[in-house]
Amino acid sequence: MLAHPDGEYAITALYSVPDDAWYLELGLVQDQRTFVTAIVPDEDPAREPTVCFDPQGRHLDIPYEVMRWFMDRVDHEIRTSRAWMQLRPDLVEVIHRLRQEHLGAVDDADFPDVLAEVSAAVPTADLRAVLAAAFGRSPDGTTVAGGQALQLMPPEPGSPPGPEWETVCRVCGYDDGVEPFWEQGWPNEGAICPCCGNEPDVSDVSVMGIRGYRGYWLGQGAPWSSPSSRPKDWDLLEQLSHIPPEWR
């Protein structure tokens, strides 16, 4: 469960094997009631993501920033789970067939035969991307981590290119100069800003999303998500001045 900074709302992510889709549910923490569900199919390219509202639910005014936060998370899931669907149609067809035939995994003993099959079906330049998307493997048979697999996919059109090593939080300007939030234009998913609580690729993908999260955080009094990390001489305005111009 991923809680919103205000503590009142939370997102629960569930995977439905029969439906071959991720279910992201937005609900109230106190009464554990879900009122919005986003469905993100990750196997069938012909199925589009959808958002469903509880038709039997009582009227509820959801803050705009909460919905922005929820949809940013849905967008992240779409770009992660469906990244391979953005490849060329011929490659998508091959990947879809392989995922259905092998259920997303292949034994070490069977990998050489599968590799030969895929090598004969796709150009050499596309082999790494196809194997990563179909099985989470590289041509040498080693496992490809989720972040590495994403790097094999084409970048999202219109996304601002990031520097090779981005240690400044796009939301609040926090920078320890050590742990990167973004590497070579891709999010470091293990990083969480100890100041504003921003998670790379969740609230800092678009300028609009960043401004919305920043406004909410400042409106709450700019609390530190990890108070023990706050310097004694911390200067909010000084830190905000470190935000890269393209994310202000």
Side-chain angles (χ1 to χ4, degrees):
M1 185 175 72
L2 177 65
H4 186 266
D6 69 3
E8 187 175 355
Y9 299 87
I11 298 173
T12 302
L14 306 168
Y15 189 79
S16 171
V17 175
D19 199 27
D20 285 332
W22 281 99
Y23 281 63
L24 280 73
E25 302 174 342
L26 175 64
L28 288 166
V29 174
Q30 186 173 5
D31 59 9
Q32 299 182 341
R33 182 169 64 88
T34 297
F35 45 82
V36 184
T37 301
I39 303 173
V40 183
D42 69 345
E43 289 295 337
D44 186 357
R47 291 182 60 195
E48 293 292 335
T50 57
V51 177
C52 308
F53 294 84
D54 180 7
Q56 305 301 323
R58 60 181 174 81
H59 176 79
L60 180 66
D61 291 323
I62 306 172
Y64 171 77
E65 293 305 330
V66 172
M67 285 303 301
R68 286 285 316 187
W69 170 73
F70 174 65
M71 293 309 300
D72 280 346
R73 191 67 191 183
V74 173
D75 179 67
H76 167 75
E77 188 61 52
I78 291 172
R79 286 184 290 108
T80 301
S81 302
R82 297 171 63 88
W84 62 274
M85 301 179 191
Q86 304 306 311
L87 295 171
R88 296 196 316 272
D90 59 314
L91 299 181
V92 171
E93 183 178 351
V94 171
I95 294 169
H96 184 226
R97 175 177 59 79
L98 291 171
R99 289 170 69 108
Q100 294 298 304
E101 181 179 346
H102 299 279
L103 301 179
V106 61
D107 294 334
D108 290 341
D110 297 330
F111 184 73
D113 292 335
V114 174
L115 176 62
E117 174 192 346
V118 179
S119 299
V122 303
T124 303
D126 299 314
L127 185 59
R128 288 182 60 83
V130 171
L131 291 174
F135 310 116
R137 289 185 179 239
S138 59
D140 63 6
T142 56
T143 301
V144 178
Q148 293 175 300
L150 283 175
Q151 293 183 37
L152 298 175
M153 308 302 172
E156 183 181 4
S159 294
E164 292 188 1
W165 197 259
E166 193 173 341
T167 61
V168 180
C169 175
R170 297 175 176 179
V171 174
C172 71
Y174 172 84
D175 182 12
D176 66 1
V178 178
E179 184 174 24
F181 290 99
W182 291 76
E183 300 178 64
Q184 298 181 340
W186 298 97
N188 177 8
E189 297 184 2
I192 298 177
C193 179
C195 182
C196 68
N198 169 53
E199 297 181 55
D201 207 29
V202 176
S203 303
D204 65 354
V205 178
S206 67
V207 174
M208 183 178 294
I210 289 171
R211 289 174 177 172
Y213 187 89
R214 184 185 299 136
Y216 175 83
W217 176 68
L218 291 172
Q220 297 299 306
W224 278 66
S225 62
S226 177
S228 61
S229 300
R230 174 175 173 167
K232 293 182 179 179
D233 58 349
W234 179 59
D235 187 322
L236 172 61
L237 295 181
E238 170 66 20
Q239 180 172 296
L240 290 174
S241 71
H242 297 162
I243 298 172
E246 62 269 28
W247 301 114
R248 293 179 180 173

